[in-house]
Amino acid sequence: MTKPLVYVTRKLAREVIDELREVAAVEVWEEDRPCPREVFLQKAEQAEALLTMLTDRVDEELLTRAQNLKVVANMAVGYDNIDAEAAKKRGVTVTNTPDVLTEATADLTFALLMATARRITEANRFLLAGEWTSWSPNLLAGQNVYHSTLGIIGMGRIGEAVARRAQGFGMKILYHNRRPKPESEERVGAGYRQLDDLLRESDYVVMLTPLTPETRQMMGEREFSLMKPTAVFINVSRGGTVDEEALYRALAEKKIWAAGLDVFQKEPVPMDHPLLTLPNVVALPHIGSATYQTRLEMAKLAAANIRAVLEGKEPVTPV
Ligand code: NAP
C-alpha cells in the first residue's frame, strides 16, 4: 500500500521528519525561504497532510485544489494564515501548537517590554556609534518597570504567563478580554477592565489577542489617544491588530512614549517603513517563540497532530 504524502513547508529537525516517515511519505521544502505559492499548491494537490508555517496561506483556492487533504498542522498557535471555516466545511482538520510556546513567547514579550522601557537597543546603538562621551543625569533615561501598571489585552495562555513575570516586578496587572476570566484574576491577581479604562490606566499596554475579524486594527487612533503620554505599547500578537499609521502618528506626536513591536502588518517589514525611523521603537523580526527548544517542541507537536489524523485518531491540538 502506498503511504500518504505529508508535505512540510520548511526544513525541520531530523527526528521530527523521521517520526513522520514511520507513517507517511514525507517531502520537505528544503530552501531557507518560504515555499513558493505555486510549489505549495502543487504539493497540496497530492498531499493528505500539510505541515505549514505562518507564512503559508491556506485558503479557498488551495483547499479546492487539495482534494486528498485531511489535515493542516500549523507550526504556530495563531492560525490567521488558514481559512479554518473553509477547511471545516471540507472536512479538513486544522491544528496549531498551543502551550508549548507559551513560556518562550512570554519571555520575549517581557524582554521587549524591558528593552523598550529602558531604551536598550537605542543605548547599544549610541555606544557603538562612539557617542558616549560622558555620564549625564538624564542620559538615555527611560520609564520605571517595577511597581508600574501593566494592561494585557488578550489574557490567554501567553497573557497569563506575561502576568506571572510581571508579578515578580511588583506590577499592578489589568486585563481586557471579551469576557472576564475569574480564573486568571485568581491565579495572577489581575483586574478586569473595559478596553478604554485599561488604556487610560496602564503604563504598559501589551497586545496578545489572536488576529480575527474582531481584533483587526483594534488599536487605532482613538485607542492610542486614550493612553498616557508616558505609556509604552507592546505588540506580540499579529501586525494586523494595529493600525500602523495611527501608531506612527501617536509616537511621532509624543501621544505615547514608545513601542516595542515583534510583528508587523507586512512581514518582513519593508526597510522604509516609517515606524523603523523612530528612535522610540524597538522592532523585532517576529521571534516570539524563537528558542531552539521551543521550535523543536512546536515541530514535534505539529507532527504528532499529523500522525494522529493519518492513523484515524483524534488530533492532539485541533483549533
Ligand atoms: P489564547 O490562549 O487563545 O489567548 C488569546 C486571548 O485573547 C484570550 O484570552 C481571548 O479571550 C482574548 N481575545 C480574543 N479575541 C478578543 C477580542 N476581540 N477582544 C479582547 N480579547 C480577545 O492564545 P495564546 O496562546 O495566548 O496566543 C495569543 C496570540 O499570540 C496568538 O493567537 C498569536 O497570534 C500570538 N503569538 C505571537 C507570537 C509571536 O511570535 N509574536 C508567538 C505566539 C503567539 P476571550 O475569548 O475571552 O476574548
Side-chain angles (χ1 to χ4, degrees):
M1 208 174 75
T2 54
K3 282 181 169 178
L5 175 69
V6 176
Y7 192 64
V8 180
T9 67
R10 286 308 273 267
K11 215 168 143 173
L12 299 176
R14 182 69 180 271
E15 62 184 283
V16 174
I17 302 297
D18 287 348
E19 168 96 14
L20 285 171
R21 287 217 161 102
E22 286 175 16
V23 295
V26 183
E27 286 185 33
V28 180
W29 174 255
E30 296 278 352
E31 293 183 34
D32 196 17
R33 63 181 173 112
C35 177
R37 180 74 178 166
E38 205 37 54
V39 175
F40 186 42
L41 289 173
Q42 279 169 16
K43 295 296 178 187
E45 280 178 2
Q46 304 150 21
E48 287 190 28
L50 295 172
L51 198 163
T52 55
M53 311 296 134
L54 49 83
T55 43
D56 304 312
R57 202 169 72 251
V58 177
D59 54 9
E60 282 281 356
E61 183 194 19
L62 180 136
L63 291 163
T64 307
R65 284 173 64 169
Q67 291 297 319
N68 302 316
L69 194 60
K70 290 189 175 142
V71 54
V72 179
N74 210 36
M75 202 179 111
V77 64
Y79 53 91
D80 43 281
N81 56 311
I82 298 173
D83 187 340
E85 280 303 310
K88 193 174 169 191
K89 276 191 205 131
R90 289 178 165 80
V92 175
T93 300
V94 178
T95 67
N96 63 346
T97 59
D99 300 315
V100 291
L101 47 58
T102 295
E103 300 298 334
T105 308
D107 283 347
L108 189 279
T109 306
F110 220 82
L112 186 52
L113 185 155
M114 297 282 286
T116 311
R118 298 303 303 271
R119 303 170 66 178
I120 300 291
T121 52
E122 196 185 344
N124 182 240
R125 285 193 299 267
F126 172 89
L127 182 148
L128 294 177
E131 290 177 42
W132 187 20
T133 51
S134 72
W135 185 91
S136 107
N138 278 336
L139 177 64
L140 290 157
Q143 303 290 343
N144 280 344
V145 175
Y146 73 95
H147 292 178
S148 63
T149 298
L150 172 67
I152 297 174
I153 307 174
M155 180 67 101
R157 289 170 288 247
I158 302 169
E160 210 175 298
V162 170
R164 285 200 302 276
R165 284 151 180 76
Q167 285 178 310
F169 285 76
M171 291 169 100
K172 178 177 174 182
I173 301 161
L174 310 177
Y175 77 102
H176 174 74
N177 281 3
R178 284 167 298 182
R179 287 168 294 278
K181 199 174 158 194
E183 0 22 310
S184 290
E185 293 176 21
E186 201 161 302
R187 282 193 292 259
V188 294
Y192 185 76
R193 293 288 187 280
Q194 290 304 328
L195 182 62
D196 290 6
D197 293 331
L198 177 143
L199 295 169
R200 280 189 201 101
E201 288 179 49
S202 299
D203 299 304
Y204 297 90
V205 173
V206 175
M207 191 72 190
L208 272 168
T209 64
L211 176 61
T212 65
E214 239 181 322
T215 62
R216 188 170 288 284
Q217 306 238 326
M218 188 171 173
M219 287 299 296
E221 182 132 19
R222 193 190 73 84
E223 288 70 29
F224 290 121
S225 74
L226 294 173
M227 288 173 62
K228 299 178 188 179
T230 49
V232 170
F233 176 70
I234 302 291
N235 190 13
V236 185
S237 61
R238 287 288 183 266
T241 60
V242 175
D243 176 345
E244 288 180 346
E245 285 176 23
L247 174 59
Y248 173 82
R249 284 194 300 275
L251 288 161
E253 293 165 14
K254 307 239 181 311
K255 293 202 172 119
I256 69 172
W257 191 73
L261 308 170
D262 185 44
V263 287
F264 294 86
Q265 263 164 35
K266 186 172 177 337
E267 296 181 359
V269 64
M271 283 313 292
D272 60 355
H273 195 298
L275 281 169
L276 301 186
T277 65
L278 297 172
N280 51 347
V281 169
V282 178
L284 301 178
H286 202 148
I287 56 166
S289 63
T291 68
Y292 291 114
Q293 300 85 344
T294 296
R295 287 288 158 84
L296 180 60
E297 289 308 312
M298 291 163 70
K300 282 185 182 169
L301 181 52
N305 274 305
I306 288 177
R307 263 193 88 142
V309 173
L310 294 183
E311 289 173 340
K313 298 179 194 148
E314 285 300 309
V316 193
T317 49
V319 304

